[in-house]
């Protein structure tokens, strides 16, 4: 720490990094008041010093470096703010920053989800702060609430819409009756979905985020590989039509629950009742519902992406790190991740199910389907026969089940596919109530 100021070193000057640099300058007076001394941008590490970028044009070119050694050796950099994203080289950079005794702020969900345990250990070893509020939910406060405000609770469950791109796509499909491809194209035109949208639509982004939240909530390492994940690309406009008729809304939920000593963590499309809070969260907004033994239920809602909301969280973390430095405080997170909790296999979870299938339209078909489900102890809640194509004697069946084990349902689906009277299982969606 310099005598009169605290120095920030920024890694990456993309959408988030550029906005963070702008806020550090534009709000310098307010931030200095919060910290008690000026918070000054001392270095910007970039892959190539593209000084034609709008943000770079406003900055002193002497701040830029492409040399990692020069960046980490700078004694005036007290806090490293990483905004480059991805696992590597971010993981090496964060490890190096912590090992150099620098406090770290990152917006990088992938590196935190994959390496939380190692990075927390390094932060403790070198007695510096590791801050990652912006990694989950953009501007919505989530990490600190789990680390501080909810700490007295036994967390029972987290139910989260934590990917704005997919929530936008699902909202358009539900409200306009359009198909997945059209809704994705619109999201791309508006800049919500990336040219390669895989990370969002296949549930990978949500997987990183729920792995982080579950690790914090249950104080145990939950890695992305522990999370069962399905995306939204298999959803069809008919699923939305039938969901509406049955009083449900389809959302991509990230779910984490603890019970009987094990944890279930999953990301997949679900039917949720249309009158629930999460069903009303539309467009690019995110929302996280947390159920705890003391607090009962709390809800977090807001913008989970974008330069401005994300910079709000990054700057808050930077101020917090600077306050700690000013007070001579090192690492404040003394808790360790326990390793005794087990992750429940997906086959053991229990939910209700929605099934949509094309079948032969003749007497006795329903009883064959009911027998397959009944033999697996899966109770039928309702059956509706939808579109009938009389010329080819087929019908579409929509079945809602009582709660059943996933393993039984998967076995039953396999057996249903073998029946001559079942032409196709069109979709199968879990129901959360
Ligand atoms: N791509 C993410 C989303 C934002 O659509 O919510 C960054 O985490």
């Amino acid at each position: 720490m310099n005598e009169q100021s605290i120095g920030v070193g920024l890694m990456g000057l993309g959408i988030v990094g550029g906005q963070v640099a702008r806020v550090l300058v534009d709000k310098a007076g307010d931030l200095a008041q919060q910290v008690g001394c000026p918070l000054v941008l001392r270095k910007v590490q970039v892959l190539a010093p593209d000084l034609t970028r709008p943000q770079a044009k406003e900055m002193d070119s002497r701040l830029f470096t492409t040399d990692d050694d020069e960046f980490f050796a700078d004694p005036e950099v007290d806090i490293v703010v990483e905004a480059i994203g991805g696992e590597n080289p971010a993981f090496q950079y964060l490890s190096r920053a912590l090992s150099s005794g620098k406090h770290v702020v990152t917006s990088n969900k992938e590196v935190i989800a994959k390496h939380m345990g190692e990075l927390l250990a390094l932060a403790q070893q070198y007695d510096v702060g590791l801050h990652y509020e912006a990694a989950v939910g953009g501007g919505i406060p989530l990490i600190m609430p789990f680390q501080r405000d909810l700490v007295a609770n036994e967390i029972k469950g987290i139910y989260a819409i934590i990917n704005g791109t997919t929530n936008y796509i699902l909202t358009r499909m539900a409200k306009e009756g359009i198909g997945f491809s059209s809704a994705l194209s619109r999201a791309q035109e508006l800049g919500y979905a990336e040219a390669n949208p895989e990370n969002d639509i296949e549930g990978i982004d949500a997987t990183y985020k729920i792995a982080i939240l579950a690790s914090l909530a249950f104080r145990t390492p939950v890695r992305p590989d522990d999370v069962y994940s399905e995306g939204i690309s298999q959803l069809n406009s008919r699923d939305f039509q039938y969901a509406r008729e049955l009083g449900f809304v389809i959302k991509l939920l990230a779910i984490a629950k603890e019970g009987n000593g094990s944890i279930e963590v999953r990301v997949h499309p679900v039917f949720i009742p249309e009158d629930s809070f999460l069903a009303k969260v539309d467009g690019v907004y995110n929302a996280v519902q947390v159920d705890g033994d003391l607090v009962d239920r709390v809800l977090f809602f807001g913008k989970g992406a974008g330069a401005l909301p994300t910079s709000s969280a990054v700057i808050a973390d930077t101020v917090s790190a600077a306050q700690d430095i000013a007070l001579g405080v090192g690492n404040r997170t003394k808790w360790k991740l326990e390793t005794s909790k087990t992750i429940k296999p997906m086959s053991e979870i229990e939910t209700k199910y929605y099934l949509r299938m094309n079948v032969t339209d003749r007497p006795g078909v329903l009883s064959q389907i009911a027998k397959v489900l009944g033999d697996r102890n899966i109770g039928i809640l309702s059956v509706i026969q939808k579109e009938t194509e009389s010329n080819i004697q087929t019908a579409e069946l929509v079945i809602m089940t009582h709660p059943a084990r996933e393993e039984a349902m998967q076995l039953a689906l396999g057996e249903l596919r073998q029946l001559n009277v079942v032409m196709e299982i069109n979709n199968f969606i879990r129901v959360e109530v």
Side-chain angles (χ1 to χ4, degrees):
M1 177 190 168
N2 185 298
E3 283 294 297
Q4 288 86 31
S5 64
I6 291 174
V8 175
L10 178 61
M11 307 197 86
L13 197 69
I15 292 174
V16 172
Q19 181 59 32
V20 167
R22 184 172 292 125
V23 177
L24 283 173
V25 173
D26 291 352
K27 299 195 179 221
D30 287 347
L31 299 177
Q33 274 217 323
Q34 297 294 329
V35 176
C37 68
L39 192 55
V40 182
L41 185 58
R42 298 279 183 206
K43 272 267 177 291
V44 182
Q45 197 270 5
V46 286
L47 287 177
D50 177 3
L51 300 177
T52 60
R53 281 189 252 185
Q55 187 52 33
K57 273 194 214 167
E58 298 164 21
M59 294 162 66
D60 183 343
S61 61
R62 287 170 299 181
L63 288 175
F64 291 93
T65 180
T66 55
D67 182 344
D68 299 351
D69 293 334
E70 181 193 333
F71 180 85
F72 287 107
D74 189 333
E76 293 206 312
V77 170
D78 303 298
I79 303 169
V80 170
V81 176
E82 182 266 311
I84 54 176
E87 183 179 7
N88 290 307
F91 178 54
Q92 285 84 2
Y93 287 157
L94 297 188
S95 304
R96 191 168 174 186
L98 295 167
S99 316
S100 310
K102 297 182 191 290
H103 291 241
V104 161
V105 175
T106 177
S107 56
N108 186 333
K109 64 205 147 228
E110 183 173 352
V111 81
I112 294 294
K114 291 183 176 171
H115 299 285
M116 182 190 272
E118 295 138 282
L119 292 170
L120 280 174
L122 275 180
Q124 292 199 9
Q125 183 182 345
Y126 291 93
D127 196 26
V128 283
L130 172 65
H131 304 258
Y132 46 94
E133 184 61 68
V136 186
I140 310 169
L142 285 167
I143 305 300
M144 277 314 283
F146 275 107
Q147 286 190 343
R148 190 189 56 201
D149 310 290
L150 297 171
V151 80
N153 286 265
E154 190 177 314
I155 304 294
K156 305 288 185 193
I158 304 171
Y159 303 84
I161 294 171
I162 42 173
N163 182 270
T165 305
T166 45
N167 203 46
Y168 175 83
I169 291 170
L170 297 180
T171 303
R172 296 296 292 248
M173 290 178 79
K175 299 223 184 289
E176 294 168 31
I178 58 176
F180 170 76
S181 303
S182 311
L184 171 60
S185 300
R186 289 192 197 182
Q188 285 172 320
E189 281 157 26
L190 289 165
Y192 295 143
E194 293 176 29
N196 178 356
E198 191 192 344
N199 255 17
D200 291 320
I201 65 173
E202 296 306 338
I204 300 164
D205 175 81
T207 292
Y208 294 148
K209 293 168 177 171
I210 196 69
I212 295 171
L213 294 185
S215 299
L216 290 171
F218 307 129
R219 310 262 173 85
T220 196
V222 177
R223 298 185 183 83
D225 287 349
D226 295 324
V227 182
Y228 174 85
S229 170
E230 281 175 24
I232 61 165
S233 54
Q234 300 309 313
L235 294 171
N236 182 282
S237 52
R238 289 205 177 181
D239 298 315
F240 287 85
Q241 178 195 329
Y242 300 152
R244 190 165 50 248
E245 288 174 16
L246 291 160
F248 290 93
V249 169
I250 302 177
K251 291 291 183 191
L252 181 72
L253 276 200
I255 298 169
K257 298 185 200 180
E258 182 174 18
N260 302 324
S262 71
I263 294 164
E264 62 182 77
V265 195
R266 46 197 168 96
V267 172
H268 52 73
V270 290
F271 271 37
I272 51 174
E274 63 186 356
D275 58 359
S276 61
F277 167 78
L278 291 174
K280 297 180 174 65
V281 176
D282 283 335
V284 292
Y285 280 93
N286 285 194
V288 179
Q289 171 184 316
V290 184
D291 295 337
D293 62 342
L294 303 178
V295 77
D296 187 33
R297 175 164 293 172
V298 286
L299 298 157
F300 300 86
F301 171 84
K303 287 197 172 162
L308 296 178
T310 306
S311 74
S312 163
V314 170
I315 294 290
D317 275 353
T318 308
V319 166
S320 180
Q323 288 168 335
D324 284 352
I325 293 170
L327 291 169
V329 175
N331 182 278
R332 265 197 283 173
T333 315
K334 300 298 177 204
W335 54 271
K336 291 196 173 64
L337 299 176
E338 295 168 27
T339 50
S340 55
K341 296 179 182 173
T342 55
I343 309 287
K344 191 188 269 191
M346 190 61 187
S347 57
E348 290 178 19
I349 72 142
E350 202 168 279
T351 69
K352 297 180 179 181
Y353 296 88
Y354 151 96
L355 294 177
R356 177 168 66 85
M357 61 181 91
N358 275 100
V359 299
T360 308
D361 188 17
R362 62 176 154 79
V365 169
L366 263 184
S367 66
Q368 288 187 53
I369 291 168
K371 181 169 186 325
V372 168
L373 294 173
D375 285 351
R376 294 278 170 201
N377 214 16
I378 301 167
I380 295 176
L381 188 63
S382 69
V383 183
I384 309 170
Q385 182 163 324
K386 304 299 296 186
E387 312 286 318
T388 302
E389 293 201 39
S390 52
N391 53 336
I392 50 169
Q393 292 191 308
T394 67
E396 189 165 54
L397 283 188
V398 172
I399 298 178
M400 298 291 282
T401 76
H402 284 293
R405 268 169 72 103
E406 177 85 11
E407 184 178 34
M409 181 51 82
Q410 293 292 353
L411 289 169
L413 286 172
E415 288 160 8
L416 288 172
R417 286 192 184 97
Q418 300 299 314
L419 292 181
N420 287 332
V421 296
V422 174
M423 331 302 295
E424 193 176 2
I425 310 277
N426 297 313
N427 220 336
F428 143 80
I429 300 174
R430 299 171 190 90
V431 182
E432 287 288 327
V433 288

